[in-house]
Amino acid sequence: MRLLRYSFLAIGLGAAAFAQDQMANLTGETARVFATTRGQALTGPHPSARAAVNTFLRGQGRSAAALASLLLRSESRDAAGLTHLRLSQSIDGLPVYGAYAKASVNGSGELVHLIDQLVEPRGQAARSTITADGAIAAAAVRRFPGERLQFRLVSDTNGTARFSSGNTYFHQDPTAIRVVVPLEGGALQTGWLVETWTNQGNQLWHTVIGNGGRVLQEELRTANESYRVFPEHPTVSLGGITVGTPEVTLAGPTSTTASPNGWVSADGRTAGVQSQFRLAGNNAYAYLDRDANNTPDAAGATITDGNFTAAANLSLAPTAAPNQQVAIQNLFYSVNFVHDKLYTAGFNEVEGNFQESNFGRGGFALDSVSAEAQDGSGTNNANFSTPADGSRPRMQMYLWNRTVPNRDGDVDSDIVFHEFGHGLTWRMIGSMSGCMSGAIGEGASDAVSILLNGDDVVGEYSYNNSNGIRRYRYTNYPLRYNNLTGTSVHNNGELFGAILWRAREKYLAAGQSVDQLLSDFVGGMKYIPAAPRYEQMRDGMVQQAGGATGGPTSRGCMLYKAFAEYGVGQGASGRCTSAGRWTVTATTTVPTACR
């Protein structure tokens, strides 16, 4: 193995000569989305789902080379009899960054929905002018200016180079993956996808490096919460109103399908040994990290009887030993609870959920959630980093200092559910960063919280405010689509939380369950392109509610009306630049079938 050393203060990359290289815009704005209309399928019957996809794409002008470049990533079948395919693209044996297709085929072999975000192969992709070493150097200069970092090449196999930094700066070894990069104008160029994941701050970055070490694109895959700082949270009086829940003893798991071996089991990391301050299972590993070194603190006494029933003393600080044990119990329970609920709603192994073992059901295993309780690296905050399927995500939960004694986000399931929601949208939709899609990601995470807890505010316990951490409660939320301004993803994401809360009101009034809405919300993500817009979130959920027909059924109309009431009706469109410049056309129109 060769040893590579860099002092990144001194590197110059000379990228000016390659300024003409601009990466193609592969986002929800450019994806081609095809859906059934009036119940009419996109194709006739075919012997297989893949054959239906190929026929339709060929009819839309995709070349034989493009069809031959498609690789099946996953295939699943839902309760409505629809087969869902996820396809990636490979050219010259390398993955094409940002290129994919998602398709749904009914039981008759007819294509009913397709998202086409593919590129056309145009001969062999131009070779990259830099090596994996240079790509790591370029990404480090961009991401960590002023840091003196040294890297050692650990392995270089199958197009992936892995580097060790020789210290604790990174949560896991940085990697450089050789990819094909689509450029504006249709040209293709090989380049590198560099993944770096820091210990401090839990920052997971994907950086695409082109010729000359030029940064073509960067994407932060960590959702950081900047809040305005026992099933739900401890009972407390806020504004003269008592909210929250008392401590109760509950059994787990909530679903033997989602968690066949239970919640507490050998998970490949702890051999099933449970203790006061470390609980592990197939879906989560919860532990204290008060010293912020991103590894578990002392385990405490072993627990062998399966009873994790320490009682809280809220008159003491959260860091008192009994309350730390309560923090672990609550965090572990909440992560497993939301895992099981979202699994039942459609976030399963094939869709990239978080489990150590996938029980032969597809997807990639060894990626349960690392949940760090009372993390010492911050306060009044929380975050969730979502790497690709098969790599473990990391949740960091902090203490909140707006009261004396302080409060602990680990016992506030609003925050736990919200953070887990970021993992849901990153895995099932993708590219949930940027001005609009980042806002939708925040609103979707709020939606997970308010739907599971049945409460129209988020984080009221930790924030010590009866209205929670958002500007308004979600009941009768006052803003609309055309009120979105600026770059605050939290403020702009409130709109999606309000829409889902309104949909909840409509479902319940019509005799539908919140679980059904949750299934339409999660299942709809199969029909939504990466880096989505508000209207694409609407269309995906309506498509899911339509089942095999995909049309505006009664549930689909309730969803459409909820979106339309907030300005995301038929004909609505919205875009936002990274500089926060919004262009929104808001309408309250619904399809004729829903009037």
Side-chain angles (χ1 to χ4, degrees):
M1 293 184 183
R2 68 181 185 272
L3 181 65
L4 304 170
R5 298 187 182 276
Y6 302 101
S7 176
F8 289 113
L9 284 173
I11 288 181
L13 296 170
F18 303 96
Q20 71 275 15
D21 293 341
Q22 296 291 334
M23 196 169 157
N25 178 24
L26 299 183
T27 67
E29 291 188 16
T30 58
R32 299 198 299 173
V33 181
F34 304 92
T36 55
T37 56
R38 299 189 180 93
Q40 182 67 41
L42 299 173
T43 69
H46 284 75
S48 69
R50 182 64 182 272
V53 170
N54 286 351
T55 295
F56 184 78
L57 287 175
R58 193 178 299 113
Q60 293 299 317
R62 288 299 181 191
S63 66
L67 297 181
S69 70
L70 295 181
L71 300 177
L72 181 65
R73 283 178 50 200
S74 67
E75 180 174 345
S76 63
R77 189 176 178 86
D78 67 17
L82 291 169
T83 297
H84 301 282
L85 303 181
R86 285 175 177 256
L87 302 150
S88 59
Q89 194 170 13
S90 176
I91 296 177
D92 299 335
L94 300 175
V96 182
Y97 181 80
Y100 68 94
K102 293 165 70 173
S104 300
V105 179
N106 65 23
S108 300
E110 299 169 321
L111 183 70
V112 298
H113 194 275
L114 181 105
I115 299 172
D116 174 1
Q117 188 65 289
L118 303 172
V119 301
E120 277 295 329
R122 297 185 178 180
Q124 194 169 36
R127 297 286 295 175
S128 172
T129 62
I130 64 169
T131 63
D133 313 340
I136 286 285
V141 168
R142 178 59 165 257
R143 293 264 55 86
F144 318 113
E147 295 289 344
R148 295 183 179 276
L149 301 172
Q150 296 180 335
F151 292 92
R152 179 174 61 87
L153 182 67
V154 176
S155 62
D156 190 354
T157 57
N158 298 323
T160 298
R162 183 174 298 276
F163 295 83
S164 171
S165 65
N167 56 30
T168 60
Y169 192 84
F170 293 103
H171 177 60
Q172 65 183 31
D173 289 343
T175 57
I177 303 172
R178 187 181 291 276
V179 296
V180 171
V181 180
L183 302 178
E184 287 185 353
L188 300 175
Q189 176 189 105
T190 60
W192 299 90
L193 170 61
V194 175
E195 180 177 278
T196 54
W197 191 351
T198 63
N199 268 324
Q200 186 67 30
N202 197 26
Q203 301 294 288
L204 173 58
W205 282 95
H206 278 186
T207 308
V208 180
I209 305 295
N211 279 342
R214 185 162 179 264
V215 175
L216 298 179
Q217 181 171 305
E218 47 193 344
E219 185 171 67
L220 179 62
R221 297 176 66 93
T222 298
N224 292 289
E225 304 311 313
S226 299
Y227 305 117
R228 290 186 292 168
V229 99
F230 258 97
E232 184 175 7
H233 58 70
T235 302
V236 65
S237 178
L238 297 175
I241 301 173
T242 299
V243 297
T245 51
E247 279 189 291
V248 294
T249 301
L250 299 173
T254 60
S255 168
T256 55
T257 301
S259 300
N261 292 340
W263 287 349
V264 179
S265 62
D267 78 331
R269 292 196 271 181
T270 64
V273 178
Q274 313 302 332
S275 60
Q276 289 176 294
F277 309 125
R278 296 182 192 174
L279 292 180
N282 196 55
N283 311 321
Y285 181 19
Y287 52 86
L288 286 173
D289 187 23
R290 288 294 303 136
D291 58 5
N293 68 350
N294 304 292
T295 58
D297 294 349
T302 299
I303 299 174
T304 59
D305 62 1
N307 294 314
F308 310 103
T309 54
N313 184 343
L314 299 179
S315 66
L316 301 177
T319 52
N323 289 338
Q324 288 186 321
Q325 187 171 348
V326 168
I328 297 301
Q329 291 170 188
N330 275 263
L331 181 58
F332 185 75
Y333 180 91
S334 293
V335 172
N336 278 282
F337 179 85
V338 68
H339 166 276
D340 285 6
K341 293 293 286 187
L342 293 181
Y343 187 104
T344 303
F347 186 36
N348 53 29
E349 295 91 351
V350 173
E351 299 299 338
N353 76 345
F354 310 121
Q355 295 178 180
E356 286 298 297
S357 170
N358 282 2
F359 308 109
R361 298 169 176 171
F364 294 94
L366 300 178
D367 62 354
S368 62
V369 176
S370 296
E372 298 180 348
Q374 297 189 2
D375 192 279
S377 63
T379 57
N380 303 323
N381 210 331
N383 59 55
F384 194 100
S385 293
T386 313
D389 194 12
S391 295
R392 295 182 179 113
R394 183 167 64 154
M395 176 188 292
Q396 291 184 315
M397 302 295 296
Y398 297 150
L399 299 182
W400 297 66
N401 60 16
R402 295 176 59 87
T403 61
V404 178
N406 295 342
R407 290 181 179 166
D408 190 346
D410 296 296
V411 299
D412 192 339
S413 64
D414 278 351
I415 299 173
V416 179
F417 295 164
H418 176 103
E419 295 305 327
F420 197 99
H422 284 300
L424 165 72
T425 53
W426 267 103
R427 286 279 174 93
M428 286 198 67
I429 301 176
S431 294
M432 301 303 296
S433 58
C435 190
M436 183 175 288
S437 51
I440 290 171
E442 294 298 336
S445 283
D446 274 9
V448 173
S449 174
I450 60 180
L451 292 181
L452 292 186
N453 280 330
D455 185 357
D456 70 341
V457 294
V458 177
E460 64 270 27
Y461 171 76
S462 295
Y463 189 56
N464 193 35
N465 186 304
S466 59
N467 287 324
I469 57 180
R470 302 300 178 222
R471 294 172 295 175
Y472 308 98
R473 301 179 75 96
Y474 281 131
T475 301
N476 299 322
Y477 184 79
L479 303 181
R480 298 296 184 265
Y481 199 14
N482 57 336
N483 295 130
L484 301 187
T485 59
T487 58
S488 171
V489 291
H490 296 95
N491 288 350
N492 295 329
E494 289 173 4
L495 185 73
F496 190 83
I499 291 169
L500 266 289
W501 186 254
R502 184 70 181 110
R504 177 186 182 273
E505 293 173 337
K506 290 180 178 294
Y507 270 55
L508 293 178
Q512 296 284 348
S513 68
V514 175
D515 283 347
Q516 181 63 68
L517 174 58
L518 194 66
S519 293
D520 290 338
F521 168 50
V522 174
M525 296 180 190
K526 295 192 291 286
Y527 304 101
I528 296 169
R533 304 193 306 272
Y534 266 96
E535 52 271 22
Q536 291 171 325
M537 297 296 293
R538 175 201 65 205
D539 292 346
M541 293 179 64
V542 170
Q543 180 79 27
Q544 170 67 21
T549 65
T553 59
S554 59
R555 293 202 322 272
C557 285
M558 285 189 285
L559 287 166
Y560 214 115
K561 289 177 180 178
F563 276 90
E565 286 180 23
Y566 283 96
V568 194
Q570 191 173 41
S573 65
R575 286 172 175 78
C576 176
T577 69
S578 58
R581 290 188 292 271
W582 285 81
T583 302
V584 173
T585 300
T587 81
T588 57
T589 305
V590 297
T592 302
C594 295
R595 295 172 192 168

